[in-house]
Amino acid sequence: MVEVGEKAPDFELLDTELKPRKLSEFLGKRIVVLLTFPAAFSSVCTKELCTFRDRMSILNSANAEVIAISVDSPFALKAFKDANRLNFTLLSDFNKEVITKYGVVHENLLGLKGVAKRSAFIIAPDGTVLYKWVSDDPLVEPPYDEIIKLVNEFNKKYLG
């Protein structure tokens, strides 16, 4: 599992437009909030990503880039993004490589093998993991206020 203080493993995944995207392309000038979530269109995941959507102006003002990853196909993620008017990048980890690298895999969730745990990582512009939150319970949402507070603090420290 990726730990605070380590370099975040780089990766390349398809976005909702079938464009390959790397973590490294988002780093450099911004703080990255990297989310993993179990399944598009599930109730808790929809609530979580819509909460981040609704707080994007705060995150943008703190120079944060939000990236959300699930093992859903890019086609399902595009429909999910469009249906919920999500204003950040969604990436498909269909082959489960990133969730494995980051150590956020549910081995068996309701009979589904290898879906993402709900997690949030805050990554510095140099790629260092500054914060990690992972839940084994898919019904537990991330601590939104804590993440936003830390993003603002890290923005001042690293980019201010």
Side-chain angles (χ1 to χ4, degrees), residues 116-135:
K117 290 182 179 181
R118 193 172 317 284
S119 71
F121 296 86
I122 301 175
I123 304 169
D126 69 358
T128 303
V129 176
L130 303 172
Y131 170 87
K132 174 184 88 171
W133 175 88
V134 180
S135 178

Side-chain angles (χ1 to χ4, degrees), residues 13 70-71 92-102 105-106 112-116:
L13 298 174
S70 80
V71 299
S92 171
D93 189 18
F94 192 79
N95 296 320
K96 304 171 185 178
E97 294 167 5
V98 173
I99 63 170
T100 301
K101 275 185 193 178
Y102 279 74
V105 180
H106 276 294
L112 301 172
K113 300 201 183 328
V115 298

Side-chain angles (χ1 to χ4, degrees), residues 57-156:
S57 64
I58 298 166
L59 290 161
N60 285 336
S61 67
N63 290 314
E65 179 85 35
V66 174
I67 302 167
I69 297 172
S70 80
V71 299
D72 295 292
S73 74
F75 311 105
L77 288 175
K78 179 165 179 40
F80 182 59
K81 182 175 184 171
D82 291 348
N84 293 289
R85 299 178 324 278
L86 300 176
N87 50 1
F88 49 86
T89 302
L90 298 184
L91 299 175
S92 171
D93 189 18
F94 192 79
N95 296 320
K96 304 171 185 178
E97 294 167 5
V98 173
I99 63 170
T100 301
K101 275 185 193 178
Y102 279 74
V104 292
V105 180
H106 276 294
E107 295 302 329
N108 186 337
L109 178 63
L110 303 173
L112 301 172
K113 300 201 183 328
V115 298
K117 290 182 179 181
R118 193 172 317 284
S119 71
F121 296 86
I122 301 175
I123 304 169
D126 69 358
T128 303
V129 176
L130 303 172
Y131 170 87
K132 174 184 88 171
W133 175 88
V134 180
S135 178
D136 289 324
D137 183 345
L139 300 177
V140 174
E141 294 175 58
Y144 304 110
D145 293 336
E146 178 182 14
I147 290 169
I148 289 171
K149 177 180 171 276
L150 289 171
V151 165
N152 278 304
E153 289 175 13
F154 294 143
N155 176 47
K156 290 175 187 151

Side-chain angles (χ1 to χ4, degrees), residues 24-54:
S24 54
E25 78 183 70
F26 295 99
L27 299 172
K29 295 183 177 144
R30 302 193 85 179
I31 302 286
V32 171
V33 177
L34 182 68
L35 308 170
T36 63
F37 64 100
F41 293 106
S42 64
S43 60
V44 179
C45 295
T46 299
K47 183 175 182 222
E48 174 191 2
L49 296 188
C50 287
T51 299
F52 277 102
R53 174 201 65 202
D54 295 345

